[in-house]
Amino acid sequence: MATTKPNLTTNDAAVLQALFDAESSPSSGVVIDPSLSPWPSSVSISEQELASLKEREASIIRQISGDNPTREIVESAVADFDALIETYPTYPSAYTNRAQTLRLLVDIQEESKTKNTDSASDDTLFTSQSSSLATRIFNDLGQAISLATPRSPADPVSNTQARLLADVHTHRGYLLLKAARAKKNIVGEKEETGRGPERLRGLAADQLEEMASQDFFLGGRYGNKVAQQLAVQTNPYAKMCGAIVKEAMRKEVEG
């Protein structure tokens, strides 16, 4: 049986391509210039200071890189990052690494309570017991993004900037997606007071998914391939169009 092709305008075709094809994400809109200094001038860190900072960061990370670091070791690493950030408050990478260290601390605290990481892994960060640490994690990720993002989307970025922005947007998008799933898991139950990060309280699961999709889009824009795919999967318009297409195909088959 012959089939007819839908009559799509050029604009409609472009919209559908952007919605469903991760490779069409406008990552090409970001200009990465390898000749640029690692951080924008607003970071205010000299080349000599930067070399010292990198070594200091690496030293802190080595403390927690072994198998099963203790809570005391992780708390010491957090304190070291606190001191580093107090001295260099405009250094984006330190906020990223402190956020990662705080996430590890949340996991360790939960393990000590449950002795079962698998059953608690999804919702651990979004309980009232972890709300203070979760708030700090989201604040750190937001600060890293704020410090590293160029003033204009048209401004070129360095390799270091692009890599950090890709990773941090993807990290935050992943946490937002987990927050949305945690929110769905408590539907029909009374939500705990003070549950999760302060800035996410009161938001519905759909709102959290949209925020995650935006972060994945930006993570993909700066070069993270996984984020590009997740941006498509979590895009509310893509999901809506996908449902419409599936329904149209079902009717076509039935017809």
Side-chain angles (χ1 to χ4, degrees):
M1 181 179 68
T3 59
T4 59
K5 294 183 179 180
N7 294 319
L8 294 177
T9 66
T10 302
N11 184 63
D12 288 341
V15 169
L16 288 174
Q17 176 77 1
L19 284 172
F20 293 105
D21 183 4
E23 295 301 320
S24 70
S25 176
S27 56
S28 59
V30 175
V31 177
I32 300 176
D33 185 348
S35 69
L36 291 176
S37 297
W39 303 113
S41 57
S42 58
V43 173
S44 303
I45 297 175
S46 69
E47 296 276 342
Q48 293 79 7
E49 287 175 316
L50 185 58
S52 174
L53 275 173
K54 287 182 177 178
E55 177 53 39
R56 190 171 168 185
E57 276 187 296
S59 176
I60 298 171
I61 293 169
R62 281 194 292 269
Q63 297 177 41
I64 57 175
S65 295
D67 294 334
N68 302 317
T70 65
R71 176 172 177 170
E72 290 73 21
I73 289 175
V74 177
E75 287 178 338
S76 175
V78 171
D80 288 342
F81 277 122
D82 290 345
L84 190 155
I85 288 170
E86 185 175 354
T87 307
Y88 297 96
T90 61
Y91 183 46
S93 181
Y95 290 96
T96 303
N97 285 317
R98 186 170 67 177
Q100 293 279 21
T101 308
L102 288 167
R103 275 196 68 189
L104 180 58
L105 183 58
V106 171
D107 291 342
I108 289 174
Q109 289 183 346
E110 190 63 23
E111 283 180 31
S112 67
K113 290 188 298 182
T114 65
K115 302 299 181 182
N116 187 340
T117 56
D118 290 335
S119 64
S121 60
D122 268 352
D123 297 345
T124 297
L125 194 61
F126 307 103
T127 63
S128 57
Q129 292 84 357
S130 300
S131 61
S132 178
L133 289 175
T135 296
R136 291 185 66 188
I137 290 168
F138 272 86
N139 286 345
D140 277 355
L141 295 175
Q143 186 67 1
I145 289 170
S146 177
L147 290 168
T149 299
R151 291 183 178 180
S152 167
D155 290 344
V157 297
S158 69
N159 286 328
T160 301
Q161 267 181 284
R163 186 164 55 249
L164 181 137
L165 288 168
D167 291 345
V168 179
H169 275 296
T170 304
H171 183 180
R172 191 171 67 176
Y174 174 66
L175 294 181
L176 286 165
L177 195 58
K178 291 180 73 173
R181 290 171 180 169
K183 180 78 70 170
K184 289 178 180 179
N185 289 339
I186 61 172
V187 171
E189 303 176 13
K190 185 176 181 180
E191 187 169 353
E192 295 178 75
T193 303
R195 183 187 181 106
E198 288 180 7
R199 64 180 62 188
L200 303 186
R201 293 172 197 167
L203 296 178
D206 287 349
Q207 291 174 294
L208 293 170
E209 284 188 356
E210 287 183 27
M211 292 167 65
S213 182
Q214 178 66 13
D215 263 326
F216 289 139
F217 170 79
L218 290 169
R221 191 169 185 266
Y222 284 105
N224 189 297
K225 297 296 184 181
V226 173
Q228 289 180 11
Q229 297 293 334
L230 289 170
V232 172
Q233 294 174 25
T234 56
N235 186 317
Y237 300 105
K239 291 194 289 186
M240 178 181 69
C241 289
I244 294 171
V245 170
K246 286 180 182 178
E247 178 64 16
M249 291 176 67
R250 183 186 66 79
K251 290 182 177 179
E252 179 71 18
V253 170
E254 289 178 353

